[in-house]
Amino acid sequence: NAGVMQNPRHLVRRRGQEARLRCSPMKGHSHVYWYRQLPEEGLKFMVYLQKENIIDESGMPKERFSAEFPKEGPSILRIQQVVRGDSAAYFCASSPGQGSGELFFGEGSRLTVL
Amino acid sequence: GQSLEQPSEVTAVEGAIVQINCTYQTSGFYGLSWYQQHDGGAPTFLSYNALDGLEETGRFSSFLSRSDSYGYLLLQELQMKDSASYFCATDNNAGNMLTFGGGTRLMVKP
């Protein structure tokens, strides 16, 4: 049973370019969460999605960042016009949605902005 | 707003017992989770407490006091492989939308 799959694992972009990070949840999970982590820091919530719906995006910057979880295909976190401060590890997690406190995380996508 | 406080670093020796505390302030509370993360790796779920008391899972136990907004993770018979960062996280909407603490870096020495 495949876990949460994220790609790319590593991504290098120059300032001003776009970054697209993809996440396929575990089979049977319809809830996806994106977190951002800077070195030596905790996980910061960005956005919570269900199929075709954004449930909560309170942690996502208002500009340049967007997320989707279409009916078919993976969830996408899109960062437009990247800046050096966007360099971080972006983790995706999934859950079946019930309040078990258990999220299943992917291995993360590490974005480096030059 | 929500905030969680936990020590930034803890050091212990192999075979010892260590307790990592977590205090939280949150509007709405459903439960407290604990996660382990090895350097550069995916966070992995350890435990979840929705009710007061102690939950035991092998060498790891987790405790919650809702009235004190406090919990802890207890690691027994420490092994070198337990060296990692440990995060507490609160669930405030029963939808698993977790807020994480800053993490405690545990170093286990021989």
Side-chain angles (χ1 to χ4, degrees), chain B residues 9-26:
Chain B
E9 279 190 13
V10 173
T11 302
V13 296
E14 218 173 352
I17 299 173
V18 71
Q19 178 174 314
I20 300 174
N21 298 320
C22 174
T23 57
Y24 59 87
Q25 290 185 327
T26 181

Side-chain angles (χ1 to χ4, degrees), chain A residues 12-104:
Chain A
V12 178
R13 286 288 179 265
R14 296 190 182 279
R15 281 179 295 171
Q17 291 184 319
E18 178 180 290
R20 283 196 182 214
L21 311 177
R22 288 175 291 277
C23 169
S24 295
M26 281 186 70
K27 188 176 180 180
H29 288 186
S30 58
H31 298 245
V32 165
Y33 315 76
W34 285 93
Y35 285 83
R36 170 175 153 150
Q37 186 177 39
L38 294 171
E40 309 298 324
E41 293 190 10
L43 295 142
K44 302 296 184 189
F45 168 78
M46 298 182 74
V47 62
Y48 166 28
L49 312 103
Q50 295 179 26
K51 284 284 187 181
E52 300 185 277
N53 285 305
I54 295 174
I55 306 302
D56 190 309
E57 56 182 348
S58 58
M60 200 148 70
K62 293 287 186 285
E63 297 179 355
R64 302 189 298 108
F65 285 72
S66 62
E68 63 175 6
F69 188 16
K71 185 177 180 181
E72 302 290 339
S75 175
I76 307 284
L77 179 67
R78 182 183 179 201
I79 311 172
Q80 296 178 287
Q81 299 172 351
V82 296
V83 300
R84 288 216 174 110
D86 297 333
S87 295
Y90 292 85
F91 286 95
C92 170
S94 73
S95 86
Q98 300 305 310
S100 65
E102 182 173 9
L103 296 180
F104 296 81

Side-chain angles (χ1 to χ4, degrees), chain B residues 69-83:
Chain B
S69 297
Y70 163 76
Y72 66 73
L73 179 69
L74 190 73
L75 299 87
Q76 302 182 74
E77 300 172 18
L78 282 174
Q79 302 175 9
M80 297 298 289
K81 68 178 182 179
D82 296 330
S83 293

Side-chain angles (χ1 to χ4, degrees), chain A residues 9 31 33 35 37 40-43 45 48 56 58 91 95-103 105-107 110, chain B residues 33-35 37 39-45 47-48 87 91 93-103 105:
Chain A
R9 292 291 309 279
H31 298 245
Y33 315 76
Y35 285 83
Q37 186 177 39
E40 309 298 324
E41 293 190 10
L43 295 142
F45 168 78
Y48 166 28
D56 190 309
S58 58
F91 286 95
S95 86
Q98 300 305 310
S100 65
E102 182 173 9
L103 296 180
F105 281 87
E107 293 291 332
R110 279 145 188 86
Chain B
S33 298
W34 288 91
Y35 285 77
Q37 185 182 34
D39 281 345
T44 55
F45 173 80
S47 66
Y48 177 68
F87 297 89
D91 177 4
N93 73 348
N96 281 344
M97 197 180 86
L98 304 183
T99 299
F100 284 80
R105 191 171 187 88

Side-chain angles (χ1 to χ4, degrees), chain A residues 99-101, chain B residues 24 26-33 48-51 64 66 90-96:
Chain A
S100 65
Chain B
Y24 59 87
T26 181
S27 53
F29 177 83
Y30 283 84
L32 185 72
S33 298
Y48 177 68
N49 294 66
L51 302 175
L64 175 66
R66 296 174 71 109
T90 54
D91 177 4
N92 73 325
N93 73 348
N96 281 344

Side-chain angles (χ1 to χ4, degrees), chain B residues 46-48 55-62 74:
Chain B
L46 293 176
S47 66
Y48 177 68
E55 296 277 346
E56 298 180 63
T57 309
R59 294 187 298 114
F60 293 1
S61 303
S62 57
L74 190 73

